[in-house]
Amino acid sequence: MFDMERSKVVEAFDASIESINFGSMLVSRMRTQPFVYERVRRRISGDLMDHFMIRVDLENVEARSARPSAIVVIDLAQVSERNMTPSHNISVVLPRRVFGKDADALARLHQLPLTHASALFLADHLVSAMQHGAHLDGEVPRAIGAMLPTLVVNCLLDERRFADEELKADRDLMLLSKAKQIINDQLCSQKLNPNNLARQLGLSRSSLYRLFEPAGGVAKIIRESRMRAAARAIAEGDIHVRIGDVADRYCFSSDAQFSASFKTYFGCTPSEFRASTLETNPAGPARTRQSSNDRVFPVWLANL
């Protein structure tokens, strides 16, 4: 998700990341030596992640005595300036759509360290999710994931929503939000194209292209939104449904074109993707320690 650069004072770099899949969110613990991270426009245009990361910075590297010192919201659709990663942190990744109309206000907190009481209350909750999540089963993990967006909004936005005018979305953010909703609603329609999207938004084609230019263009957004929707359909649907039927549903011109595009985007074929999702235990949260050749975490991200 980020580009990283090892600190010049560190001779031998060492880090570990442990992740738990709650179905609708991913929770991770990182212990690391210092490194600088950033998320540049090129990477945003390349992966088009429409997610929020909410990071809890811990003041002590020892797990049992670590206490939250701050919470940081990172909007993965925005550029992240160069910054140092704390040596011990816990983070949760959630898709933007789960925040509904509050997503734009949450985006205004991008990269701001929050230390007020309600933010630290949320931080304690996320620490607890990481500590106990692997032992939860049944429907409990998904229930926890379902209630988290409301908790995030109440803890991070409620005090500022009416007091701070800067939290109100500007025109471009509102147009982008509306455009993404139209795209998501019409992914299976052959009529979804830049011309019709501009008409529905009341924009000229040139205005629409300027709106989506930072993300690589409106055609790319439509194509890769269809790709992610097709991936969810493959992961969640009947294993006996032909992958070609999924490709046709989301308006790809042929099975071969869909398979090639899918492999370019996800790093695996649709069949390999389906096989990977079947390895996740549906009765409880999945947990992994990822090696350099392990594609589990990208599959989890695609299925949020």
Side-chain angles (χ1 to χ4, degrees):
M1 293 184 285
F2 299 95
D3 295 307
M4 59 176 287
E5 178 183 313
R6 190 178 71 185
S7 171
K8 292 181 172 59
V9 300
V10 177
E11 292 184 3
F13 182 77
D14 183 63
S16 66
I17 304 176
E18 186 177 14
S19 298
I20 305 175
N21 185 353
F22 278 73
S24 59
M25 67 178 188
L26 307 180
V27 183
S28 302
R29 184 201 308 276
M30 173 185 284
R31 296 185 181 88
T32 181
Q33 291 174 298
F35 70 87
V36 174
Y37 76 92
E38 63 181 336
R39 183 166 168 82
V40 298
R41 194 169 300 277
R42 183 184 67 256
R43 180 172 288 276
I44 293 171
S45 299
D47 61 31
L48 292 173
M49 286 187 190
D50 208 16
H51 299 63
F52 284 103
M53 170 183 280
I54 300 171
R55 192 187 74 206
V56 179
D57 295 347
L58 300 167
E59 62 185 19
N60 193 309
V61 296
E62 296 298 329
R64 294 188 180 278
S65 59
R67 295 179 61 83
S69 60
I71 203 163
V72 180
V73 176
I74 299 176
D75 180 1
L76 295 176
Q78 295 190 53
V79 169
S80 290
E81 303 295 338
R82 288 169 63 87
N83 213 326
M84 188 71 72
T85 292
S87 58
H88 189 190
N89 66 83
I90 288 173
S91 63
V92 59
V93 178
L94 302 108
R96 183 183 303 272
R97 67 177 184 277
V98 302
F99 293 101
K101 61 183 178 60
D102 293 304
D104 291 340
L106 193 62
R108 295 300 185 105
L109 301 178
H110 179 57
Q111 284 197 294
L112 295 178
L114 305 174
T115 58
H116 54 80
S118 60
L120 295 180
F121 176 89
L122 174 63
D124 285 337
H125 176 78
L126 298 182
V127 170
S128 179
M130 185 68 217
Q131 288 177 339
H132 305 292
H135 306 294
L136 302 175
D137 53 23
E139 291 300 312
V140 175
R142 288 190 178 275
I144 292 174
M147 73 178 185
L148 185 61
T150 300
L151 186 61
V152 169
V153 168
N154 288 334
C155 288
L156 301 187
L157 297 181
D158 194 56
E159 293 179 2
R160 301 175 132 218
R161 184 177 298 167
F162 303 108
D164 191 350
E165 287 297 317
E166 290 187 359
L167 284 179
K168 293 182 179 178
D170 58 28
R171 182 173 182 270
D172 279 356
L173 278 176
M174 289 190 292
L175 283 171
L176 275 172
S177 179
K178 184 177 180 180
K180 288 176 182 178
Q181 185 61 55
I182 292 172
I183 290 171
N184 287 332
D185 289 344
Q186 300 179 13
L187 289 176
C188 297
S189 172
Q190 294 283 359
K191 295 180 179 180
L192 177 61
N193 58 51
N195 286 341
N196 284 334
L197 182 59
R199 190 177 303 116
Q200 292 179 73
L201 291 169
L203 297 175
S204 66
R205 286 183 59 181
S206 59
S207 295
L208 180 72
Y209 292 152
R210 280 197 301 270
L211 189 66
F212 281 93
E213 185 178 7
V218 61
K220 182 177 181 181
I221 291 290
I222 292 173
R223 182 176 64 253
E224 297 191 353
S225 294
R226 281 173 164 155
M227 191 75 66
R228 292 193 297 272
R232 286 194 295 273
I234 291 171
E236 299 170 1
D238 189 329
I239 62 172
H240 300 295
V241 172
R242 289 183 60 252
I243 287 175
D245 292 338
V246 176
D248 184 63
R249 185 194 318 165
Y250 289 100
C251 305
F252 289 91
S253 59
S254 68
D255 293 5
Q257 188 251 350
F258 173 64
S259 183
S261 299
F262 195 99
K263 186 167 185 178
T264 298
Y265 187 66
F266 288 110
C268 60
T269 67
S271 298
E272 291 168 343
F273 183 90
R274 172 177 277 172
S276 296
T277 62
L278 293 177
E279 295 174 2
T280 301
N281 178 11
R287 191 181 188 109
T288 185
R289 291 183 179 274
Q290 189 171 350
S291 70
S292 59
N293 296 319
D294 193 340
R295 297 292 300 179
V296 172
F297 195 82
V299 170
W300 285 359
L301 272 176
N303 285 324
L304 282 182

